[in-house]
Amino acid sequence: MAHLDRAVISTADDAVLAKLSCVEKGYYQDAFIHSMAKGVKGANSSSSAGGRNSSSSMEPIIRKGTHARVCAVDKAISAFLSLQLEEDTSNARGRRQVVILGAGRDTTYLRYRFGYLKGFEENQVDWFEVDHPFVIEQKAHTWLCNSAPAGYKYNSEMNVATGVSYRASFSSQDASDANDSTYHLIGHDLRSPPSSLFEKLSDPFHGYDRSIPTIFVMECVIMYLPDEASRNLLRYLAGNGAEADQNNQVDSFVTIAMYDPIPNNDRFGQVMLNNLQKRGITGQTHEDGERREQLSLERTPTLSDHLAKLNKCGFDIAVGCHMMDAYDYGIVSIDDRRRAARCEMLDELEEFVLLMRHYCLCVGVHSTGDRYKAAAATLCSDGNDSPIGFQEGRCTIVHS
């Protein structure tokens, strides 16, 4: 495996450690985070010697920032799944699709499956996770095996036709367990042509359907892609690829939710870039001396750049804000902020504000057909009726 691949994959370990530290401090509930963190250095805080990456040694501002990240992404997914859509007769049950790109050790599906994310139990949700084949192998064969709650059995079946991909489930003898969501794990390098990703997703074994309302979620993922590869991927997600052209008679509703750093062309942002360069992720050349294409992080350093990019790649409406505004003005709820305040005091307030202003949440929507226009406008709206919580004067909305 190339050094760059190892460096990027290792960032999933950093993320799960930060989430584990949040859960251990009581910021939010996640019964699956310990299983998902198994094997990560520093994950067993009770026995750890307190190394640099130990969950017990995380600074409070990292925990508070990570908690805000979890709350914001959960809010975007919940808003999409709860959105009232004019369904056609073939989708009477309100079927939705969630696709987590660069899923790593993410537990969102497990939290949805076992009742930690509520409000849309009547919808059938088909859940897809996409990541590097090495990560998907680990998740399917190790991490998920240890995640089944008492009374449930984890099952997985490999799809040899599409390489490293699986259909997984958690079965129970409990008759009251009526959850009929499907769960799929797809091995794919997001730097590869997106057409190959959609071939895997659309394979009958997995059953992804462009006509079903879908949200794509990317948490600190697009930042690591070469800029042109990231734009090609976004165009395909919005339905502007060759495969989508064959289905242009079908109404579609596509949402993207992205959580990403924004260097903001300032000194703090440069420190962020320098830290990534030390890990071999950014920089002018590869380890073999070959010139490296600039990453999306380097080419989209501001919130405005992210929103403009979404527009240019085919998303009709895009809305976003930096995470300090998300925290203070409605996306992170009052209850979540109060819970965080009870967990621990924060002495480095100025540093926390600076950090949060260098991350953003962006949501974009592309829809075809008249019946989805109102829903698209609602999802990307601001004000008191915003389902995600974006507030006027504290976010930016752009239209194509």
Side-chain angles (χ1 to χ4, degrees):
M1 185 185 298
H3 171 77
L4 177 60
D5 289 356
R6 290 195 301 270
V8 173
I9 288 172
S10 72
T11 63
D13 294 352
D14 298 336
V16 79
L17 274 181
K19 291 177 179 179
L20 175 61
S21 188
C22 285
V23 171
E24 290 178 338
K25 277 287 186 179
Y27 279 81
Y28 69 103
Q29 289 186 311
D30 187 341
F32 313 99
I33 196 70
H34 286 88
S35 297
M36 208 56 64
K38 188 175 182 179
V40 177
K41 183 179 179 180
N44 297 320
S45 60
S46 60
S47 59
S48 171
R52 181 180 64 85
N53 290 328
S54 170
S55 63
S56 61
S57 66
M58 289 279 175
E59 296 181 11
I61 61 169
I62 300 299
R63 280 191 285 269
K64 286 194 179 288
T66 299
H67 175 241
R69 165 183 175 172
V70 171
C71 291
V73 174
D74 281 359
K75 191 74 169 288
I77 295 173
S78 296
F80 167 79
L81 292 177
S82 304
L83 194 65
Q84 295 297 311
L85 295 175
E86 182 184 338
E87 309 289 0
D88 60 31
T89 55
S90 65
N91 191 24
R93 285 207 54 208
R95 182 182 169 199
R96 309 284 170 92
Q97 295 175 146
V98 178
V99 184
I100 311 291
L101 298 174
R105 297 173 183 263
D106 185 77
T107 64
T108 311
Y109 169 74
L110 297 171
R111 291 186 293 118
Y112 157 75
R113 171 66 177 84
F114 295 106
Y116 289 83
L117 299 179
K118 297 183 179 295
F120 28 82
E121 289 80 0
E122 294 181 0
N123 292 336
Q124 177 186 341
V125 181
D126 301 321
W127 208 283
F128 304 82
E129 293 186 354
V130 179
D131 211 318
H132 192 283
F134 173 80
V135 175
I136 292 299
E137 283 277 14
Q138 296 268 43
K139 193 162 195 175
H141 290 298
T142 304
W143 306 333
L144 286 169
C145 292
N146 301 313
S147 298
Y152 287 85
K153 180 183 178 182
Y154 168 69
N155 313 282
S156 68
E157 180 182 1
M158 185 175 183
N159 181 16
V160 294
T162 56
V164 181
S165 63
Y166 299 84
R167 184 168 57 204
S169 64
F170 292 86
S171 57
S172 170
Q173 299 299 318
D174 186 353
S176 65
D177 180 22
N179 188 297
D180 59 356
S181 63
T182 65
Y183 183 36
H184 306 267
L185 300 114
I186 313 292
H188 178 80
D189 187 334
L190 292 173
R191 296 166 299 187
S192 302
S195 57
S196 63
L197 169 61
F198 280 91
E199 287 174 4
K200 297 173 185 177
L201 287 169
S202 302
D203 185 273
F205 185 83
H206 298 296
Y208 171 83
D209 186 343
R210 276 194 180 271
S211 69
I212 300 299
T214 302
I215 183 170
F216 293 93
V217 181
M218 304 177 80
E219 291 185 56
C220 292
V221 171
I222 204 153
M223 61 181 285
Y224 296 119
L225 299 181
D227 186 61
E228 189 55 37
S230 73
R231 293 176 187 273
N232 289 337
L233 177 60
L234 289 174
R235 292 185 193 106
Y236 248 85
L237 300 188
N240 293 327
E243 188 268 346
D245 292 339
Q246 301 173 10
N247 300 307
N248 57 12
Q249 301 299 317
V250 179
D251 288 353
S252 64
F253 185 87
V254 178
T255 300
I256 187 167
M258 299 193 312
Y259 172 90
D260 237 27
I262 42 175
N264 283 333
N265 298 315
D266 61 19
R267 183 179 299 177
F268 188 91
Q270 189 58 51
V271 171
M272 298 171 72
L273 294 171
N274 290 344
N275 288 337
L276 290 173
Q277 185 170 353
K278 290 177 182 177
R279 298 179 70 167
I281 295 174
T282 63
Q284 295 300 310
T285 58
H286 291 281
E287 56 185 344
D288 60 5
E290 182 181 352
R291 187 167 182 83
R292 187 202 306 271
E293 181 184 347
Q294 280 193 308
L295 301 183
S296 175
L297 175 66
E298 298 167 287
R299 295 293 298 273
T300 51
T302 68
L303 173 63
S304 297
D305 291 332
H306 275 287
L307 296 176
K309 183 175 181 176
L310 288 175
N311 264 177
K312 290 178 181 178
C313 291
F315 290 90
D316 312 313
I317 312 173
V319 58
C321 67
H322 62 64
M323 285 301 297
M324 197 65 238
D325 279 342
Y327 196 79
D328 281 340
Y329 296 98
I331 295 178
V332 180
S333 71
I334 293 176
D335 287 343
D336 284 325
R337 296 202 305 273
R338 286 174 176 166
R339 185 180 303 111
R342 288 195 299 268
C343 289
E344 58 188 330
M345 296 294 294
L346 185 63
D347 296 327
E348 313 93 339
L349 183 58
E350 291 184 2
E351 187 177 353
F352 177 67
V353 171
L354 185 62
L355 177 69
M356 295 286 276
R357 286 178 174 169
H358 283 80
Y359 284 86
C360 68
L361 176 71
C362 297
V363 176
V365 175
H366 172 73
S367 62
T368 59
D370 291 338
R371 63 195 176 97
Y372 289 137
K373 286 184 177 179
T378 297
L379 192 61
C380 289
S381 65
D382 59 8
N384 293 334
D385 294 329
S386 168
I388 298 175
F390 290 106
Q391 295 301 310
E392 184 177 0
R394 297 292 176 175
C395 67
T396 302
I397 301 177
V398 295
H399 298 260
S400 60

